[in-house]
Amino acid sequence: MPQVKGSMLETQALLSSDHTILSHSKKWPQHMAALLASLISMATGTVAGWSSPAIPFLQGNMGTLVSEPITDEQASWVGSIVTLGCLVGAIPAGTLSQMLGRRNFLLVLALPLILGWVLIIEGEHNVQLIYLGRFINGLSFGAVTVAVPLYNNEIAEDSVRGNIGVYLDLMLCVGILWSYVVGAVSSYFWLSVSCCMIPIVFLLTFFWMPESPVHLMAQGKIEDAEMALRWLRGAKPYHQYDTEPEMLKIQNMVDQAKERAQTAVDISDFSSIKEKLSSLSLRSTTSKAIAIALGLMTFQRLSGVSAVVYYTVDIFRGAGTSIPPTTATIIVGVVSVIASAASACLVDRVGRRFLLIMSDAIMAISLAVMGIYFVYKDSDENAMIPAMRAIIPVIALSAHTFAFRIGLGCVPWFMVPELIPMKDQAWANSLANFYSYIALFIVLYSFIWGVNVFGYSVTFFFFSVVCLIGTLFIYSYVPETKCKSKEQIQRELKYGIGQVRYGGF
């Protein structure tokens, strides 16, 4: 603690002759750093969205000649193998982000993305190269969903933490839309090349951003942490700005985490996660946070939105809509970006719980509408009014996507780091993401199989029921974290869900 105070006094002495006083922090540097960090999330969004326009092309369904069209089985692997890479990438992400630093680790993650796209570009006529490229892309994808929330959460003040936390999902949606639009107007080659450019832009821009002050403080680099904090709060070298309260708060958080880590089980890698879990008390705040995190990830992945994102063109083709499938896909992509942007504006106003509950409830309804639509279409397609065939699938899937992106799509990614104690951030975030991608792989790989065996109607009804159960789970167990400090959240978790929900939804 004395080191921090000494550093403060030195800084104030150097600035004492200047009359420019910054009494309040500025928010735009935090937003800029978080947006540039989230550019790599846009890059992973193109990985997710790429399969929707690319698979129909590879199967020869887009009016182009393909020498060897891929089969449905190969198409399932093209869509889902990226999640196997996500599984592997998520495992060491928390530990590596601590070893290398949040900023440096994010910069490193751009390299597998670039390599993966190069392989995909070369693999236009070689599906094995596409598999390899998608898997390598997945390595970065899985790690990004751990590292970006950690970085954004640690650079943000409590008052804007929710707004900034949404950027991960917002930029993911922008990347998905990018793939949809470019895929609709260009070839496989140019679609893949355009996706490859985004991680390069990320490298050139995010390189200039500061490291997380929390990470620097944890490494004992107090002066560097103060400089990073001043930059993030908009304090120029000639400004007098009192960083001492926030620096002391960060130092206290780091000290508490180190004290607890001394009595905790040593974890050098993810292989010892079982030992760590077995050492936890079921009543501990970490256990409660992990249970809530895994619940949120379960209902996020089983909401069916990933299947919609990866196979949008095929779904609209199956729905028989009179609107061209590529056009309908772009409409859904635009809606997802608008919803994610709306979430950024609402999350620190109406709260996390409200958005999550509303999100899951609307998804349950929209998926049920899709199920009913396919029941009627499969029974007698000619009996359906042409106008209904044109708009019902587009409206229902747009509502489903809007609801997902405004709540369940973005909130869990930054809410999980909010809930988990700092000492457990590395392994617990990796665990949550590892579990998330297992669920995602199951959904993506089994979706085409489920449609072929049970039809679209049963598949959509299943997702609808899951969303209904998810709504009940969120209402019963998920706390409100809006504008609360880490200490407040942990205190409320400690004294039970009843106390946590007080003043929430």
Side-chain angles (χ1 to χ4, degrees), residues 186-250:
S186 67
S187 65
Y188 173 98
F189 174 80
W190 287 113
L191 166 64
S192 303
V193 168
S194 70
C195 293
C196 186
M197 295 303 298
I198 296 173
I200 296 174
V201 173
F202 164 77
L203 278 174
L204 296 175
T205 55
F206 185 65
F207 176 82
W208 306 102
M209 294 299 102
E211 178 57 273
S212 154
V214 176
H215 172 75
L216 291 170
M217 185 74 80
Q219 299 299 310
K221 301 177 180 178
I222 296 172
E223 291 186 3
D224 291 341
E226 184 186 349
M227 289 177 60
L229 188 65
R230 285 179 59 84
W231 190 95
L232 290 164
R233 302 301 179 257
K236 303 290 185 183
Y238 52 82
H239 283 149
Q240 290 188 43
Y241 177 68
D242 186 12
T243 59
E244 184 172 359
E246 200 168 356
M247 287 287 287
L248 290 174
K249 180 179 174 182
I250 294 172

Side-chain angles (χ1 to χ4, degrees), residues 249-461:
K249 180 179 174 182
I250 294 172
Q251 181 71 69
N252 184 50
M253 219 167 35
V254 169
D255 289 343
Q256 288 180 1
K258 288 180 178 178
E259 288 172 9
R260 291 169 186 162
Q262 289 175 356
T263 59
V265 177
D266 181 34
I267 289 198
S268 58
D269 55 52
F270 201 80
S271 63
S272 51
I273 197 102
K274 184 177 179 180
E275 183 183 0
K276 182 64 174 177
L277 287 172
S278 65
S279 72
L280 292 175
S281 165
L282 291 178
R283 294 182 177 273
S284 70
T285 56
T286 301
S287 296
K288 294 175 183 178
I290 289 174
I292 293 169
L294 296 183
L296 287 173
M297 293 302 180
T298 297
F299 294 110
Q300 182 193 64
R301 293 311 192 187
L302 296 184
S303 67
V305 77
S306 297
V308 171
V309 169
Y310 280 68
Y311 304 114
T312 319
V313 173
D314 287 336
I315 291 172
F316 280 121
R317 185 177 288 110
T321 175
S322 57
I323 299 175
T326 52
T327 302
T329 298
I330 292 172
I331 292 172
V332 171
V334 170
V335 167
S336 70
V337 172
I338 294 171
S340 192
S343 181
C345 299
L346 294 173
V347 69
D348 278 328
R349 292 180 178 156
V350 302
R352 281 72 154 150
R353 269 175 56 81
F354 177 81
L355 289 180
L356 286 170
I357 292 171
M358 180 187 69
S359 172
D360 235 358
I362 294 175
M363 282 195 293
I365 295 170
S366 59
L367 288 166
V369 170
M370 283 298 291
I372 294 169
Y373 171 86
F374 276 104
V375 168
Y376 278 95
K377 178 184 178 296
D378 295 341
S379 60
D380 188 0
E381 185 172 352
N382 295 324
M384 191 173 292
I385 300 172
M388 292 176 61
R389 284 213 318 268
I391 64 171
I392 288 180
V394 176
I395 292 176
L397 286 186
S398 293
H400 173 251
T401 303
F402 184 91
F404 179 82
R405 293 301 175 191
I406 205 169
L408 200 58
C410 59
V411 172
W413 293 117
F414 65 85
M415 196 174 192
V416 170
E418 285 181 331
L419 292 170
I420 295 172
M422 185 178 172
K423 68 183 179 65
D424 298 307
Q425 285 279 346
W427 71 269
N429 276 295
S430 292
L431 171 65
N433 282 270
F434 178 78
Y435 172 81
S436 171
Y437 287 117
I438 289 176
L440 178 59
F441 173 76
I442 293 171
V443 169
L444 291 180
Y445 186 73
S446 62
F447 179 75
I448 292 179
W449 171 84
V451 169
N452 290 336
V453 174
F454 301 107
Y456 278 110
S457 57
V458 173
T459 304
F460 280 115
F461 280 134

Side-chain angles (χ1 to χ4, degrees), residues 25-36 151-152 155-161 164 167 229 231-234 241 246:
S25 65
K26 295 180 181 179
K27 304 298 187 290
W28 69 263
Q30 300 170 58
H31 285 279
M32 182 173 73
L35 271 172
L36 291 179
Y151 180 82
N152 288 354
I155 67 170
E157 295 174 281
D158 292 342
S159 61
V160 295
R161 196 176 60 235
I164 284 176
Y167 288 153
L229 188 65
W231 190 95
L232 290 164
R233 302 301 179 257
Y241 177 68
E246 200 168 356

